[in-house]
Amino acid sequence: MATQTFHKKIETVSPTRERVMGLVFLTLAFCIFFFFSRDTAAGQMTKFELTPGGLATVLPAWVLPTMSTLNILAIFAAVLGGVQLARGFKHYTNWVLALVVAFFVFGFLVWAAAGKSLNIGGLLATTLSKSVPITLGALSGILGERAGIINIAIEGMMLTGAMVGTLVGSLTNSWLGLVGATLTGGLMGLLLGVLSIKYKANQIIAGTVINILATGLTSYISAKFMQRYMEINNPQIFKSFPIPGLADIPFLGQILFNNNLFVYALFLFLILLQLGLFYTRWGLRMRAVGEHPKAADTLGINVIRTRYFSVMLGGMMAGFGGAYFTLGSVGRFDEMMTAGRGFIGLAAMIFGNWMPFGAFGAGLLFGFADSLASRLAILQIDIPSQFLLMAPYVATMIVLAGVVGRGQAPASEGIPYEKE
Amino acid sequence: MHPTCQHLSGVSLDEKTSKKQDAGKIFLEEVTSPPPDQRGLKRFGRILLIPVLAVFTGLVIGGIFIALTSENIYEAFGRSFGAGLIEALQTVGEAYVALFTGAFGSPVRIITALQSGDGLEIRRAFNPILESLVTSTPYIFAGLSVALGFRAGVFNIGAEGQIFMGAAAATFAGYALKGLPGIIHIPLALLAGAVGGGIWGLIPGWLKAKTGGHEVINTIMMNYIAFRLSDWLLTGPMKRPDSFSPVSPMIEQSAMLPRFFDDPIRFHLGFFVALGVAWLVWWFMFKTTWGFELRTVGANPFASRYAGMNVARNTILAMTLAGALAGLAGANEVLGVNHYLAMAFSSGYGFDSIALALLGNSHPLGVVLASLLFGTLRNGATPMQVSLGIPNDIIMVLQAIILMFIAAPAIIRTIYRLKKPTKEQPVANFKM
């Protein structure tokens, strides 16, 4: 009986949700028409420039008639809403939702840039670079949580990574700085592991300890040494370099393959982690430990060792992500410079349903909101950019509430394992 | 049959319920686990033992850290080992003396000031210790917020955002209402602060009760929403008209919490309000039916559901009250100290309050004592920074170390070779 109800839950979407989603689609369609389309004068044009910057322009600007584009978007969204209400998209609903939201965002851009020009290439390039630390943070969270260790200390690990990266990078060279940052992150991961695995401390408290410790230590060392002696706070940064061949792909190639080391490393980690988690023995074991440690233990997997390994790997990932702030962008360390990116990474992990590529998608979304917000002022839009910046957090809460389908957190996360 | 379903069908009901136990709940079981069957002083000593040792060990490790980061010590060690050791002890000693005179005032200065009879000089001499109380006041509120949450089975990690919303609401009530007498205006502004923070607690509480969204993540998200909102409020609707920086207008004179002494002493009524609220929280938690329900739900939601208690309602209530308490912390800072709202002025209280609640064993009296300790340390750290060049961030390091020992008392037991308590073993008695 219980199995059957569960079966149903997986296979079908509840009719109420189908209807609610249909109404959401229609509302978005209406919003595109009412707020954007009706607000534009006839004959206005929207110009999207497609120059990500860095390399020579290849594509000409993309000019769209504002009003008719908006009307077409509204009609498409409305049709999708109608189909949803009449038949329902069943388990494709979330994809259709993503599509309609994308229509809405595109409509917003078309409206915002009406009569002006907006550099979409630049917007997307900033989106990618802003998403790097967030996604690396999310990957760190995934590594921990898939093995059953909640890591809310990503922020602290990043901060220490950023600082040690700068210190070592200034004293030696940036490559060693990167290694130093990664190892420091791993050390913080080990601390989280010792507290939560060996001493079975509450994992959220253990994470809080690390966050406070990292903030205190880095601010202390920064105030005492790094702000006074500039020679230890001045590492070489990793410069962007195009990947031959791939960077010549028009538009996308320039955005994706003309970056610095961190972006390429992110791509690599994403693929490795996605494959590793779901197609290797290592990943299977790790997930087993996170879902049902007792069963994993019975089958001969060393739960404790797997957890230590994962949480340290997660720490290293966060430390590497922290180095992005100093060695990958500004080239100096400032107190509290991660500015909550670790927590946003945590949100991106949840948003992405504990999947590497899902987290990357969420990271891009967060980065997009961030880079769009900074452009609103340039486009002279009256919407306060703060509300746009809030949107990702609100969206995470909505996802967490199960409105868009509940994510699947590893079942045993947060519970210390005790061998019987 | 779908492979996933096959897997799921193998899960028994028992395991499903144990799966549902999230970190917060397990933690609550730890915190609210009944005290060992002991009475009187011995029991009191046992409760105090770990926190006191944790603070002591924290100070020792902090001292070692200060020594390690002082250049002069390395020079002295270069001369000879003995000289280095003396230098190290001297540096750490100086640092802690500066910390304590910064926090309590220097006895010599107090005596000379009293002898001279100069009013301003007396006030200056007594200012440090009163300023420590001023610093402790928001800690008391925020610590109570997290402690109440812990007792009721929710982990309020969002005190930061709630403090800000409380502060914003209190500021608005402080400057927008005009012509009220203080006796009405002050309570009204405080109430506004409590409501502002309460709403910020209510939302994650409601989400947890109705959808199961974890309050830890939701309160973190609410923190960031509060920051953005504050940014907008202070550059838009609540911006001071004649100012270029993002600050709110000054609150009315009638909304300011009265100060007891002339300048420079900022000691104000808020401290006593905090003590009153702490008593009220104690009375509510331990002497009323509602408080009993809250604690029961916190200790064991399954049992309390069978006993006919409304778990959802209690969760919402707990988060709202926790938010309101944190909101009062913000209101207190605006009405008592700053008199206007500035951007993200509360930074750091959110995590500190978790440390406070844990150090105080989630008991109002414990929270008050822990807040006095942290407030004192923090207040003493600034003069230490000025006179000795030791950054006041050392306090955060101390806090982290103390919190680590509280969270994992087994470390303290190992260091001091303490016996494991026979009955209560707070960190390891999980039910799997």
Side-chain angles (χ1 to χ4, degrees):
Chain A
M1 184 60 204
T3 320
Q4 245 179 349
T5 45
F6 218 99
H7 193 86
K8 262 188 182 167
K9 232 182 196 168
I10 286 172
E11 288 303 309
T12 64
V13 188
S14 79
T16 329
R17 204 178 144 235
E18 294 265 280
R19 258 173 252 134
V20 169
M21 279 299 159
L23 288 178
V24 168
F25 297 169
L26 285 181
T27 315
L28 286 176
F30 178 75
C31 286
I32 297 174
F33 175 72
F34 193 80
F35 293 109
F36 302 155
S37 179
R38 274 178 24 129
D39 192 45
T40 43
Q44 240 177 359
M45 299 301 243
T46 300
K47 188 170 157 198
F48 287 131
E49 282 169 63
L50 304 174
T51 45
L55 297 181
T57 319
V58 187
L59 292 181
W62 185 24
V63 182
L64 290 169
T66 308
M67 193 187 265
S68 38
T69 313
L70 285 172
N71 285 339
I72 292 170
L73 285 174
I75 289 166
F76 268 127
V79 168
L80 287 174
V83 175
Q84 171 75 14
L85 278 182
R87 295 186 39 238
F89 285 100
K90 310 292 182 224
H91 52 277
Y92 293 111
T93 308
N94 281 343
W95 293 105
V96 182
L97 175 67
L99 189 68
V100 174
V101 170
F103 281 174
F104 181 79
V105 172
F106 187 67
F108 175 78
L109 290 180
V110 170
W111 166 75
K116 284 163 264 180
S117 84
L118 172 73
N119 187 349
I120 287 223
L123 186 70
L124 293 181
T126 339
T127 299
L128 181 64
S129 67
K130 292 213 185 222
S131 77
V132 172
I134 299 172
T135 315
L136 285 171
L139 294 185
S140 162
I142 291 174
L143 278 164
E145 299 216 353
R146 283 285 180 181
I149 305 282
I150 299 175
N151 183 3
I152 68 160
I154 304 168
E155 175 84 4
M157 293 172 176
M158 281 186 156
L159 205 55
T160 41
M163 190 199 75
V164 173
T166 311
L167 267 181
V168 179
S170 308
L171 292 173
T172 56
N173 63 53
S174 299
W175 289 98
L176 283 180
L178 197 59
V179 173
T182 312
L183 289 181
T184 314
L187 218 63
M188 292 307 244
L190 179 65
L191 179 59
L192 178 65
V194 169
L195 286 176
S196 56
I197 301 168
K198 177 151 194 258
Y199 290 105
K200 302 188 175 71
N202 176 278
Q203 293 174 3
I204 294 168
I205 302 287
T208 309
V209 169
I210 293 176
N211 278 333
I212 301 179
L213 186 69
T215 315
L217 277 180
T218 54
S219 304
Y220 181 91
I221 291 172
S222 170
K224 180 132 185 148
F225 302 111
M226 298 176 83
Q227 306 301 333
R228 279 201 289 159
Y229 310 112
M230 284 319 286
E231 66 271 18
I232 58 167
N233 193 5
N234 190 21
Q236 288 285 313
I237 61 168
F238 288 99
K239 297 237 158 49
S240 299
F241 59 93
I243 291 188
L246 288 171
D248 297 333
I249 304 169
F251 194 57
L252 276 183
Q254 293 176 24
I255 292 173
L256 294 176
F257 301 110
N258 183 25
N259 287 300
N260 66 14
L261 175 88
F262 288 92
V263 179
Y264 302 133
L266 172 65
F267 294 156
L268 184 71
F269 291 154
L270 274 175
I271 295 168
L272 282 183
L273 198 55
Q274 184 83 30
L275 292 178
L277 271 179
F278 298 103
Y279 298 97
T280 67
R281 187 160 24 163
W282 166 74
L284 182 66
R285 289 184 170 181
M286 188 174 150
R287 286 184 291 132
V289 167
E291 295 289 343
H292 203 311
K294 203 179 275 179
D297 197 8
T298 315
L299 294 173
I301 300 170
N302 189 333
V303 173
I304 304 295
R305 200 169 60 198
T306 312
R307 286 195 166 173
Y308 268 117
F309 182 73
S310 303
V311 79
M312 280 175 74
L313 212 58
M316 289 166 84
M317 186 70 84
F320 182 85
Y324 172 82
F325 292 98
T326 50
L327 300 173
S329 53
V330 290
R332 54 169 287 133
F333 180 79
D334 291 306
E335 287 169 33
M336 308 286 293
M337 74 182 305
T338 47
R341 246 61 141 256
F343 289 115
I344 304 173
L346 198 70
M349 173 193 75
I350 294 164
F351 208 114
N353 200 11
W354 287 265
M355 302 274 191
F357 274 98
F360 182 47
L364 284 176
L365 204 67
F366 285 35
F368 182 75
D370 211 351
S371 55
L372 187 60
S374 58
R375 266 153 230 263
L376 281 184
I378 304 168
L379 290 170
Q380 292 162 326
I381 302 295
D382 285 339
I383 302 168
S385 62
Q386 290 91 350
F387 286 96
L388 196 66
L389 290 170
M390 270 179 219
Y393 307 118
V394 178
T396 305
M397 289 174 75
I398 292 173
V399 169
L400 206 59
V403 178
V404 195
R406 191 176 298 286
Q408 294 285 318
S412 294
E413 64 170 27
I415 306 169
Y417 181 64
E418 257 176 308
K419 218 173 165 138
E420 272 161 25
Chain B
M1 201 186 200
H2 199 270
T4 350
C5 304
Q6 213 161 18
H7 160 71
L8 284 167
S9 62
V11 178
S12 72
L13 186 73
D14 189 50
E15 275 164 311
K16 264 186 195 162
T17 46
S18 74
K19 264 209 254 177
K20 290 263 165 58
Q21 284 203 326
D22 55 22
K25 277 182 204 144
I26 289 169
F27 179 67
L28 263 302
E29 277 170 30
E30 288 165 37
V31 188
T32 52
S33 61
D37 198 20
Q38 284 167 331
R39 275 162 219 266
L41 268 180
K42 208 174 170 194
R43 188 190 143 200
F44 202 62
R46 191 168 278 284
I47 292 174
L48 277 181
L49 185 64
I50 294 285
V52 167
L53 284 179
V55 171
F56 174 73
T57 319
L59 287 172
V60 170
I61 296 180
I64 295 173
F65 183 70
I66 292 176
L68 284 179
T69 52
S70 305
E71 296 105 322
N72 54 345
I73 285 167
Y74 293 99
E75 285 165 28
F77 266 114
R79 289 201 299 277
S80 78
F81 182 77
L85 211 61
I86 290 166
E87 182 75 31
L89 285 175
Q90 217 162 21
T91 310
V92 175
E94 269 175 24
Y96 280 137
V97 167
L99 185 71
F100 286 105
T101 47
F104 295 111
S106 114
V108 181
R109 191 173 175 189
I110 290 176
I111 290 165
T112 44
L114 282 177
Q115 278 167 350
S116 75
D118 177 14
L120 181 66
E121 187 52 34
I122 292 177
R123 287 201 299 275
R124 279 196 187 137
F126 276 102
N127 191 28
I129 187 162
L130 291 171
E131 189 64 23
S132 290
L133 297 182
V134 173
T135 319
S136 305
T137 311
Y139 279 140
I140 297 178
F141 286 118
L144 285 173
S145 159
V146 179
L148 187 139
F150 278 158
R151 290 275 176 183
V154 287
F155 199 142
N156 181 22
I157 206 165
E160 189 93 36
Q162 293 149 9
I163 287 175
F164 196 88
M165 295 316 290
T171 312
F172 185 74
Y175 74 77
L177 301 172
K178 288 184 176 34
L180 289 173
I183 192 112
I184 298 173
H185 202 170
I186 293 172
L188 214 59
L190 282 173
L191 185 71
V195 170
I199 292 173
W200 232 240
L202 169 75
I203 298 170
W206 183 85
L207 283 171
K208 184 187 169 80
K210 296 296 171 189
T211 72
H214 202 295
E215 77 275 13
V216 167
I217 306 295
N218 276 334
T219 46
I220 291 176
M221 295 301 113
M222 294 294 281
N223 279 350
Y224 286 101
I225 296 173
F227 292 152
R228 304 297 184 200
L229 203 62
S230 75
D231 191 7
W232 174 69
L233 283 174
L234 289 175
T235 50
M238 279 175 77
K239 191 176 184 311
R240 193 186 295 184
D242 54 350
S243 168
F244 289 107
S245 47
V247 290
S248 80
M250 292 291 280
I251 58 170
E252 294 287 303
Q253 195 79 41
S254 55
M256 294 178 188
L257 285 164
R259 292 182 177 172
F260 297 110
F261 306 98
D262 292 332
D263 277 350
I265 298 180
R266 301 195 294 175
F267 184 60
H268 59 86
L269 186 66
F271 180 70
F272 296 106
V273 176
L275 292 185
V277 168
W279 180 81
L280 213 61
V281 170
W282 172 81
W283 175 80
F284 174 79
M285 292 303 288
F286 296 99
K287 299 288 160 195
T288 65
T289 321
W290 281 31
F292 174 74
E293 269 201 27
L294 226 56
R295 284 185 296 129
T296 314
V297 168
N300 193 335
F302 303 105
S304 47
R305 186 172 292 134
Y306 288 124
M309 295 173 185
N310 188 338
V311 176
R313 195 191 66 200
N314 276 298
T315 304
I316 297 173
L317 179 69
M319 275 309 289
T320 312
L321 287 178
L325 284 168
L328 279 176
N332 170 77
E333 282 302 273
V334 166
L335 305 178
V337 181
N338 297 326
H339 297 159
Y340 65 90
L341 187 67
M343 202 97 76
F345 77 94
S346 70
S347 72
Y349 286 131
F351 280 134
D352 289 351
S353 53
I354 297 169
L356 291 169
L358 287 168
L359 188 57
N361 201 21
S362 297
H363 189 283
L365 180 62
V367 169
V368 170
L369 293 177
S371 305
L372 288 174
L373 176 75
F374 276 23
T376 311
L377 285 177
R378 177 143 293 195
N379 184 45
T382 315
M384 179 178 77
Q385 181 172 16
V386 174
S387 60
L388 295 176
I390 297 170
N392 62 3
D393 306 295
I394 187 72
I395 298 305
M396 288 194 85
V397 179
L398 285 181
Q399 269 170 330
I401 297 169
I402 294 170
L403 180 56
M404 183 166 80
F405 291 146
I406 299 288
I411 306 178
I412 282 285
R413 290 208 190 90
T414 317
I415 295 177
Y416 294 99
R417 307 192 191 288
L418 297 177
K419 270 190 292 181
K420 266 190 184 176
T422 40
K423 196 176 169 203
E424 157 249 33
Q425 163 57 288
V427 168
N429 66 347
F430 299 108
K431 290 166 199 82
M432 283 294 285

